[in-house]
Amino acid sequence: MKHAMWILWPSFLVGVVAEGVFFSMVDPTDLHLFGQPLELSRSAVYTLGFFLFWAFAAASSALTCWLQHGINGSESSDA
Amino acid sequence: MRHPASGLPPAPAGVSPGGSDSEASLYEVRQKIYPRAVHGWFARWRIALVLATQLIFYGLPWLVWNARPAVLFDLGARKFYVFGWVLWPQDFIFLTGLLVVSALSLFLFTAVAGRLFCGYACPQTVYTEIFMWIERMVEGDRMQRMRLDRGPANAVRLSRKALKHGLWIGIALWTGLTFVGYFTPIRTLLGEVASATLGPWETFWILFYSFATYGNAGWMREQVCKYMCPYARFQSAMFDRDTLIITYDAQRGEPRGSRSRSADRARLGVGDCVDCGICVQVCPTGIDIRKGLQYECIGCAACIDGCDQVMDKMGYARGLIRYSTLNAVAAKWDVRRMWRRVLRTRTLIYGALLLAITCVLLGALYLRTPLKVDVIRDRAMLARETRDGMIENVYRLQIMNTSERDRRFTITATPESGRAGLQVMAAQPVAVAGAHTASVAVAVRADPANLKPGTYTIRFHVEDADDPALKVDEKSRFYMR
């Protein structure tokens, strides 16, 4: 449970920031996917974009958690 | 920093926690905390702030300004309406500025008086407060709730729980709807809900935000602060020995011990702390403030209110637990001496930065012209010769009218250096509706007799035909061959 929080929450915050920065500079209607313009509404792109950012950030957090776990285990430190 | 597990709630009866400090596993099962209701000065402040913040949050989307929602983040049209302002993606700098101001305010408040934000204004605290209030209404105070949870799963318990969760979900859904109401006009949204024509993305975000509210305020509660909040971890960087924090005056309170109201403290050899455990019972994060500052403490001051009540009952002076600074407690400063230390290098720097950035931001917002122009050169060709021997370059002008008034603009162009005249060929004036963009194809012509071949920097001047004070200059290149 706590691991889920440690992974999902920081990545959520980073996802929010990434979403804000990216879409304030890029208009979703300008985006192309494999050379084809995206045929999605702006709200759809915003939503999907947010979850994409969140997912990538979560993947990074998960890796960090996993790597750190190994270190704590071998040194039996108190984190 | 103390270990997370050291702040575990005490045994149900409110005995001061002890013993649980030693073996702390990071994987301990969360013990449910049953905070006890508290009344007092700080509790009243908290209620006032809960009401104020929620009045703003739930109320803003309903406000109307210029026959449109006063605050609307219209993501579909990529325009933010904030009262009299219409902000475009180009105004992102203002959002950044606002974030910097918020961060600096947080630093300043934290340096002066600790986690004021957490205790009074953080949405996590505010919604937890609202949800706990409902819980108290439905299930009773601490002891009744614990009895209910330990009792059999009978009709009374099930109906109480169903009512509580029903109310929680209701509030969560309304919160989700309000949140989406900042992005879609809330009246339209309610109409769509009523006629079951809500779009898939809006439905999704309402449910997502509702679920987050219900989960965080109903179930996660203090765990969010303990394990999820980054602020809780870096707040120590802003703390110093003159920061006001909630402190237990150990010199006065110890040795703690129970006694009857009429007992003589001196004869018993006890301090002012009667060890009633109220401070622990009222704590929403379940810590014992008597162990000193802990990172789980959200600075809600519920323990101050709780302890003051007990001190009143005992006939002792208030403030055994109080807002104080480490320096003040150690050196037994009086309140005036303590407050004088609020003005110190750290707070002065934070304050000066905050003031400067706020002024710049407000100034920029005030001076912001409600007109933006982008010039894009036609990439397909550099220059062409017209039938009458003039050299022509073609541009596309994006004229953004960021005010809410319809306006008409005239376009002229001049070379940056030299006197040669440039002719602008476009249907003028260009009408642009309020908060809209017009894209205008503009041809600029120059007489080769006046201009030698080469590249010239030119300036487009876009001016409001009815208000010459409103004008914008934009640079571009002109190719002469």
Side-chain angles (χ1 to χ4, degrees), chain A residues 2 6 9 23 42 46-47, chain B residues 26 75-76 78 205 227-228:
Chain A
K2 231 177 279 175
W6 281 332
W9 180 243
F23 284 115
R42 274 188 179 140
Y46 288 135
T47 308
Chain B
L26 272 176
L75 292 176
R78 292 176 71 74
W205 282 110
Y227 308 117
M228 288 163 68

Side-chain angles (χ1 to χ4, degrees), chain B residues 58 131 164-176 210 214:
Chain B
Y58 290 113
F131 275 46
K164 178 178 83 174
H165 287 283
L167 287 170
W168 279 1
I169 290 171
I171 288 193
L173 282 173
W174 189 253
T175 308
S210 306
Y214 171 73

Side-chain angles (χ1 to χ4, degrees), chain B residues 182-259:
Chain B
Y182 278 87
F183 302 95
T184 304
I186 198 154
R187 289 178 176 82
T188 316
L189 205 61
L190 268 189
E192 287 174 356
V193 171
S195 59
T197 51
L198 204 59
W201 301 110
E202 285 156 349
T203 315
F204 170 78
W205 282 110
I206 290 176
L207 293 179
F208 184 83
Y209 201 85
S210 306
F211 175 74
T213 309
Y214 171 73
N216 280 2
W219 296 94
M220 309 274 283
R221 293 193 177 172
E222 82 291 343
Q223 300 204 95
V224 174
C225 314
K226 277 189 189 173
Y227 308 117
M228 288 163 68
C229 181
Y231 172 58
R233 306 299 174 99
F234 70 73
Q235 50 157 333
S236 57
M238 292 162 274
F239 271 56
D240 54 35
R241 293 187 59 83
D242 288 313
T243 298
L244 280 168
I245 48 172
I246 294 170
T247 35
Y248 164 67
D249 192 340
Q251 289 178 36
R252 185 184 144 191
E254 300 296 321
R256 66 184 82 157
S258 58
R259 78 291 305 260

